[in-house]
């Protein structure tokens, strides 16, 4: 436990007693390096996660531990159980992603084509908003927007709530000066298809946070691939 305390304190850059996204990322890396250097078996799956995936992992873990932002040292007493829960939720949702890969590819293609209509300045602003440094702000916006759209508070978005989420997300990004596509202009049939596909990711009616997270990670990886080919 003393070793974990040292690793925690080192990762807790602002010494507030809780790890935010960037600090958790540093802790995961330090924990892995510590285990490897001391001959302790360690899985490298966590350090191989993209920022999108790690962001989803952080939000799941943060929601599981406390209402206050960040993760405290005391909550590490049952840390491994919470990691297992978070990984399980991600794995369950991710298992269904291949079934909507073609649909997601189409959504990504339309996003990519829209991106090409932007000026270079707009492209730079949009790209920076998806970078690692912007991740904490993006995740905070996601949490707030999801909660605001979840009218009945059941933790899942029905079709109407999904549209409210998309519109609110668009408005938040525009207010922040970030170029974004207006979801309210989507044709009704596209809205129906989008909800149907998103609703199929995990069991139960509606779209859960983890559904958005794992789908968003796949979507963003497709976008990166398209831009890298230019």
């Amino acid at each position: 436990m003393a070793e974990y305390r040292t690793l925690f304190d080192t990762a807790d850059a602002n010494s507030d007693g809780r790890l935010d996204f960037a600090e958790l990322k540093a802790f995961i890396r330090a924990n892995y390096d510590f285990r490897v250097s001391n001959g302790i078996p360690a899985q490298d799956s966590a350090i191989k996660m993209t920022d999108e995936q790690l962001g989803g992992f952080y939000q799941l873990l943060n929601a599981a531990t406390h209402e206050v932002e960040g993760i405290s040292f005391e909550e590490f007493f049952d840390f491994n159980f919470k990691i297992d829960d978070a990984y399980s939720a991600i794995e369950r949702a991710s298992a269904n992603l291949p079934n909507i890969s073609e649909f997601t590819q189409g959504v990504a293609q339309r996003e990519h084509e829209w991106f090409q209509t932007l000026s270079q300045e707009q492209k730079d602003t949009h790209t920076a908003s998806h970078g690692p440094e912007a991740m904490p702000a993006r995740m905070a916006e996601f949490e707030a927007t999801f909660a605001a759209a979840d009218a009945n508070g059941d933790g899942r978005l029905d079709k109407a709530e999904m549209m409210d989420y998309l519109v609110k997300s668009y408005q938040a990004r525009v207010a922040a000066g970030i170029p974004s596509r207006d979801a309210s202009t989507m044709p009704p049939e596209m809205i129906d298809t989008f909800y149907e596909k998103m609703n199929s990711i995990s069991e139960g009616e509606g779209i859960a946070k983890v559904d958005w997270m794992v789908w968003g990670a796949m979507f963003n990886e497709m976008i990166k691939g398209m831009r890298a080919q230019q």
Side-chain angles (χ1 to χ4, degrees), residues 97-158:
L97 288 182
N99 299 328
I100 61 171
S101 178
E102 183 178 350
F103 162 77
T104 305
Q105 186 73 29
V107 176
Q109 182 62 44
R110 288 190 292 274
E111 178 74 9
H112 179 64
E113 292 171 355
W114 166 81
F115 182 79
Q116 299 310 310
T117 68
L118 302 179
S119 68
Q120 188 57 52
E121 181 180 0
Q122 290 174 318
K123 288 180 180 178
D124 292 342
T125 299
H126 187 274
T127 300
S129 74
H130 286 72
E133 292 183 357
M135 178 61 70
R138 286 183 61 208
M139 296 310 298
E141 178 198 318
F142 168 74
E143 286 286 331
T145 306
F146 189 99
D150 185 17
N152 61 4
D154 67 350
R156 306 183 74 92
L157 304 183
D158 60 27

Side-chain angles (χ1 to χ4, degrees), residues 50-56 97 100-101 103-109 111-112 114-115 126-132 134-135 138-139 142 165 173 194 198 211-229:
T50 66
D51 283 332
E52 289 288 339
Q53 292 168 331
L54 187 58
L97 288 182
I100 61 171
S101 178
F103 162 77
T104 305
Q105 186 73 29
V107 176
Q109 182 62 44
E111 178 74 9
H112 179 64
W114 166 81
F115 182 79
H126 187 274
T127 300
S129 74
H130 286 72
M135 178 61 70
R138 286 183 61 208
M139 296 310 298
F142 168 74
Y165 167 83
R173 293 178 67 78
F194 188 75
M198 292 295 291
D211 300 335
W212 281 107
M213 292 171 183
V214 297
W215 181 82
M218 178 173 69
F219 171 80
N220 285 321
E221 286 301 308
M222 289 180 175
I223 289 291
K224 289 178 183 177
M226 292 176 183
R227 294 177 185 172
Q229 293 176 3

Side-chain angles (χ1 to χ4, degrees), residues 145-222:
T145 306
F146 189 99
D150 185 17
N152 61 4
D154 67 350
R156 306 183 74 92
L157 304 183
D158 60 27
K159 189 189 298 183
E161 292 171 336
M162 178 197 75
M163 280 307 301
D164 191 36
Y165 167 83
L166 292 173
V167 170
K168 282 181 166 61
S169 180
Y170 166 75
Q171 292 171 340
R173 293 178 67 78
V174 169
I178 302 170
S180 184
R181 296 176 67 192
D182 186 355
S184 66
T185 62
M186 291 173 61
E189 62 273 14
M190 186 177 295
I191 294 173
D192 291 342
T193 300
F194 188 75
Y195 178 75
E196 175 189 348
K197 298 297 184 182
M198 292 295 291
N199 188 41
S200 71
I201 295 176
S202 64
E203 296 181 0
E205 183 64 28
I207 307 168
K209 288 182 183 179
V210 68
D211 300 335
W212 281 107
M213 292 171 183
V214 297
W215 181 82
M218 178 173 69
F219 171 80
N220 285 321
E221 286 301 308
M222 289 180 175

